Amino acid sequence: MFLRKRGLCSLILLFINVSCTKVMLDNDFHRNLKEREEVIRMVKNGEFEIKAKLNIIQLPERYRHISRGGGVIMVEKYEDGIGVFFFTFRGILDNFSGFIYRDDNACPDSTDFSGDFKQVERICEGWFWAASY
């Protein structure tokens, strides 16, 4: 009986944790969307210096809060446009997640942004959330 209750409690806690994470990500996306769109416009206009090979841009101080783990974004150029990755979590090496904008609206594949994405979810037109772990 104890093990069943313990298992049920674990399941409930897992559900609460997943639900809270989803709510937090949804809130982050909508709260910072306007500023992320400003940064994308600036990338398209060539207003940032892209560090060679890494395709990383250090955001100005006023935008650093829209990409966790140091205020950097990653940029990739595609045949039909660009992709921009905003971190929501930045671990060591390949453990990261974040919001991806693709102006061609194509779903990111597992090799985009040097990530081995295990999870990709469409948010809305041009926007995705992806996790590499």
Side-chain angles (χ1 to χ4, degrees):
M1 183 76 151
F2 172 73
L3 291 177
R4 276 194 220 151
K5 286 183 180 179
R6 188 172 177 200
L8 181 59
C9 287
S10 295
L11 186 60
I12 290 170
L13 287 175
L14 177 65
F15 177 75
I16 290 170
N17 184 39
V18 169
S19 296
C20 288
T21 302
K22 176 79 171 129
V23 168
M24 289 173 30
L25 286 171
D26 190 54
N27 185 40
D28 179 341
F29 178 76
H30 292 289
R31 185 180 67 244
N32 295 306
L33 181 58
K34 183 178 177 184
E35 289 173 300
R36 287 188 177 112
E37 289 173 338
E38 289 173 15
V39 167
I40 291 164
R41 181 187 47 75
M42 294 166 80
V43 168
K44 288 179 178 181
N45 290 339
E47 296 179 35
F48 294 119
E49 176 184 346
I50 299 176
K51 297 190 178 176
K53 291 187 182 179
L54 299 176
N55 294 337
I56 291 179
I57 294 173
Q58 177 68 58
L59 294 173
E61 186 67 38
R62 73 180 221 217
Y63 291 112
R64 289 194 183 154
H65 67 281
I66 65 174
S67 190
R68 309 291 184 268
V72 299
I73 58 172
M74 292 190 289
V75 176
E76 288 203 357
K77 294 182 180 179
Y78 304 103
E79 188 174 309
D80 296 329
I82 65 160
V84 181
F85 188 94
F86 297 87
F87 290 93
T88 56
F89 172 77
R90 189 172 178 200
I92 310 269
L93 299 176
D94 62 349
N95 189 7
F96 61 92
S97 63
F99 298 112
I100 296 173
Y101 170 78
R102 292 222 16 187
D103 59 3
D104 62 0
N105 198 36
C107 186
D109 67 32
S110 63
T111 61
D112 287 354
F113 304 101
S114 301
D116 183 17
F117 295 124
K118 306 295 186 206
Q119 185 177 1
V120 177
E121 296 177 23
R122 181 179 299 275
I123 299 170
C124 61
E125 183 79 18
W127 285 98
F128 304 84
W129 181 83
S132 175
Y133 43 88

